[in-house]
Amino acid sequence: MARISAEQRKKIHETLLNKSKELFIQYGFSKTSIDDIVNACGIAKGSFYSYYPSKEELFYAVLRREEEIKNKIISEVMSESLPPKELLMRFFEISFKAIEENEFLQNLYQRGEYEKIVKRLPKELIDEHAKEDLESSLEFVKFLQEKGVTEEDPEIVIGLFRMIMLLPLHRQEIGEQTFLKTMKKMIESLSNDLTQHK
C-alpha cells in the first residue's frame, strides 16, 4: 500500500476535524461514535487512531480550534483606539456575539457534556490548555491596564471575563425576553466598575 503524502495527511486531518465537528453539533459527543466519524470522513478506523488516540482527544482538538476565536477577538480589540470604557465594552460585545454564533460551543454547554469529556482527557492536555489560556488572558489584562482600563487584580479581571463569556450559554435559563437587556446592563455595569479607579 502506497504511503500518503504530507499534503494528503493534512487534508485528511482537516476533514476529520470538520466532519467530527458537524457530528458533535448534530448528535452530541456521547451519541457520536468513532465509526460515525470514520464513515463520514471516508477513512478506515485504523487511520483514525493514527491521528488521535481517542474520541475525547479528537473532541478536544475541535474545541481548541473553536476557542481560537478568543485570541482573534483579543487581537481585534488590541488594535482599536478607543477610550477605556468603550474598549472594554467593545471586547464584551464582540465576545458575546462570537459565542452566540458558535453552534459547537452552544451545544457543548447546553448538553452538559463538557465536564464528562474533560474527566477522560490526559491531565497534561488540560494543564497545557489552562496554562496557555492564562498566559493569553494575562497578556490582555496587562494591555488593558496600560490603557488605563482597570487597576483590579488580574485574576479577578480574568474571572469576570470568563463569567461574562459563559452567560450566553445560559440564555434559555435566564429567559429569552430579558436576556439581551440583562446582558447589556451587566456589560455596561462591569465596564463602568472596572474603569472607575479608586
Side-chain angles (χ1 to χ4, degrees):
M1 184 174 158
R3 293 186 65 174
I4 62 171
S5 66
E7 189 60 37
Q8 288 172 313
R9 184 170 174 79
K10 185 179 174 183
K11 191 175 178 182
I12 293 169
H13 185 222
E14 193 63 26
T15 301
L16 195 54
L17 290 169
N18 290 332
K19 292 292 183 183
S20 61
K21 176 186 166 183
E22 290 171 14
L23 291 169
F24 291 142
I25 288 171
Q26 189 172 358
Y27 303 109
F29 175 81
S30 300
K31 291 181 180 177
T32 300
S33 67
I34 290 176
D35 285 334
D36 293 330
I37 294 166
V38 297
N39 289 337
C41 295
I43 60 172
K45 204 166 186 176
S47 296
F48 172 90
Y49 291 107
S50 71
Y51 291 91
Y52 294 100
S54 67
K55 184 176 72 165
E56 286 78 10
E57 292 200 35
L58 168 62
F59 187 93
Y60 176 75
V62 175
L63 175 61
R64 289 297 301 272
R65 195 165 70 160
E66 292 303 298
E67 287 183 340
E68 283 174 13
I69 188 68
K70 174 191 157 190
N71 294 328
K72 289 177 185 173
I73 290 167
I74 287 173
S75 295
E76 184 177 336
V77 172
M78 287 172 79
S79 69
E80 304 234 5
S81 180
L82 292 168
K85 182 184 170 184
E86 283 72 17
L87 191 68
L88 203 52
M89 288 185 73
R90 178 82 175 133
F91 167 70
F92 286 133
E93 285 162 4
I94 297 172
S95 301
F96 170 71
K97 186 180 177 188
I99 292 170
E100 281 277 280
E101 293 173 354
N102 191 306
E103 202 176 356
F104 178 83
L105 292 176
Q106 289 281 340
N107 285 337
L108 170 63
Y109 289 99
Q110 285 168 5
R111 288 179 174 135
E113 295 182 313
Y114 181 75
E115 292 298 326
K116 190 191 307 180
I117 298 163
V118 167
K119 284 178 184 174
R120 297 180 193 169
L121 287 168
K123 186 178 181 299
E124 60 270 15
L125 276 183
I126 301 301
D127 291 345
E128 179 193 351
H129 178 249
K131 184 184 174 189
E132 288 176 7
D133 185 55
L134 180 62
E135 284 172 358
S136 65
S137 297
L138 284 172
E139 184 184 343
F140 183 54
V141 172
K142 186 181 176 185
F143 163 79
L144 292 174
Q145 288 175 332
E146 287 169 358
K147 290 285 183 181
V149 172
T150 179
E151 293 174 351
E152 278 284 3
D153 180 336
E155 286 187 18
I156 292 174
V157 178
I158 292 167
L160 289 168
F161 287 170
R162 286 176 178 157
M163 182 186 73
I164 286 283
M165 295 309 108
L166 289 172
L167 274 178
L169 304 172
H170 300 279
R171 186 180 190 128
Q172 290 178 343
E173 296 142 85
I174 293 168
E176 194 66 36
Q177 291 183 346
T178 58
F179 179 78
L180 287 174
K181 291 177 185 176
T182 305
M183 193 72 184
K184 187 178 178 182
K185 184 70 176 173
M186 183 169 283
I187 287 172
E188 191 173 343
S189 299
L190 187 55
S191 298
N192 273 328
D193 184 68
L194 289 173
T195 51
Q196 286 176 359
H197 308 311
K198 297 179 179 60

